[in-house]
């Protein structure tokens, strides 16, 4: 809910070998704080409730996502 209040969202893309794959959307794609939100918020919460979770990583759907994530 906090991410959505800031105009962004996190989309679940899959789970493989203990790693949750997700994609940031809207204002989160260019937010420099998204890495901190991801590690300190989302990853910690998921690891607390789901013991199999070892980590979380961002995935890109296509080239436009990659360009958007790497833009200043």
């Amino acid at each position: 809910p906090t991410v959505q209040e800031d105009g962004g969202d996190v989309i679940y893309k899959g789970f493989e070998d203990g790693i949750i794959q997700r994609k940031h959307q809207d204002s989160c794609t260019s937010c420099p704080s998204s890495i901190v939100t991801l590690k300190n918020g989302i990853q910690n919460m998921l690891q607390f409730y789901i013991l199999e979770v070892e980590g979380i990583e961002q995935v890109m759907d296509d080239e436009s996502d990659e360009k958007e994530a790497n833009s200043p």
Side-chain angles (χ1 to χ4, degrees):
T2 304
V3 172
Q4 291 175 334
E5 287 174 7
D6 287 336
D9 208 349
V10 178
I11 307 299
Y12 171 80
K13 300 302 270 184
F15 181 74
E16 187 175 329
D17 298 326
I19 304 297
I20 291 181
Q21 298 154 347
R22 57 84 187 128
K23 177 184 173 201
H24 280 168
Q25 188 172 354
D26 301 324
S27 67
C28 288
T29 57
S30 60
C31 177
S33 300
S34 64
I35 300 296
V36 174
T37 300
L38 178 67
K39 292 292 183 186
N40 293 341
I42 299 170
Q43 180 175 313
N44 288 345
M45 179 195 59
L46 289 171
Q47 287 178 319
F48 180 81
Y49 289 105
I50 306 168
L51 300 177
E52 294 84 6
V53 172
E54 296 176 15
I56 190 168
E57 67 181 14
Q58 182 172 343
V59 295
M60 304 290 180
D61 282 340
D62 57 30
E63 289 182 24
S64 64
D65 290 343
E66 201 168 312
K67 288 178 187 175
E68 199 172 286
N70 292 326
S71 66

